[in-house]
């Protein structure tokens, strides 16, 4: 089964509804699903949001649905530091972070 059709059916969306979301004709959606045409970049970007999946997954080039997001430098430093801690200190760090998170208002 075509991945676009699979994803569309997974969220209970009709071809007509998807065509409205992508601003294309319903026949275009059918052509995508039958492999007769490929979506434009703009349509693929919109499908990423609609289906919550990466372009490679939508197009069937990958079986990884969610692309790995690049970490910021600060996030990478924090992860690297966390990995060097003992298990006990990791638990303390997580508890501290949870306290910080819970204290947000």
């Amino acid at each position: 089964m075509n991945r676009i059709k699979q994803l569309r059916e997974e969220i209970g969306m009709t071809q007509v509804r998807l065509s409205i979301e992508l601003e294309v004709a319903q026949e275009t959606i059918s052509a995508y699903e039958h492999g007769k045409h490929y979506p434009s970049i703009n349509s693929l970007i919109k499908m990423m949001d609609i289906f919550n999946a990466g372009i490679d997954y939508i197009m069937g080039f990958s079986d990884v649905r969610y692309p790995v997001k690049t970490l910021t430098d600060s996030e990478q430093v924090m992860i690297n530091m966390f990995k060097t801690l003992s298990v006990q200190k990791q638990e303390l760090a997580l508890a501290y972070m949870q306290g910080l998170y819970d204290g947000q208002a």
Side-chain angles (χ1 to χ4, degrees):
M1 176 187 292
N2 177 283
R3 184 74 52 84
I4 294 172
K5 181 178 181 180
Q6 173 192 337
L7 290 166
R8 180 181 57 74
E9 290 178 345
E10 195 175 280
I11 62 172
M13 183 179 275
T14 65
Q15 284 187 348
V16 171
R17 183 68 212 166
L18 183 57
S19 71
I20 292 167
E21 294 290 326
L22 300 181
E23 301 176 19
V24 298
Q26 181 271 327
E27 291 80 8
T28 303
I29 302 300
S30 180
Y32 295 164
E33 293 183 0
H34 289 93
K36 294 179 181 175
H37 296 288
Y38 291 107
S40 69
I41 295 296
N42 289 337
S43 289
L44 285 169
I45 291 169
K46 289 177 185 178
M47 281 191 261
M48 286 176 63
D49 288 332
I50 294 167
F51 299 138
N52 192 26
I55 291 174
D56 284 351
Y57 185 81
I58 293 168
M59 294 302 297
F61 301 138
S62 171
D63 290 330
V64 177
R65 183 173 186 144
Y66 307 102
V68 176
K69 295 186 178 182
T70 304
L71 299 175
T72 64
D73 289 342
S74 297
E75 291 167 333
Q76 191 61 56
V77 167
M78 191 166 37
I79 289 169
N80 291 339
M81 289 171 62
F82 183 82
K83 286 178 164 182
T84 66
L85 298 174
S86 67
V87 172
Q88 183 181 11
K89 288 186 178 182
Q90 286 180 354
E91 290 172 2
L92 286 171
L94 288 172
Y96 181 74
M97 289 180 69
Q98 186 67 52
L100 289 173
Y101 180 79
D102 291 345
Q104 296 183 90

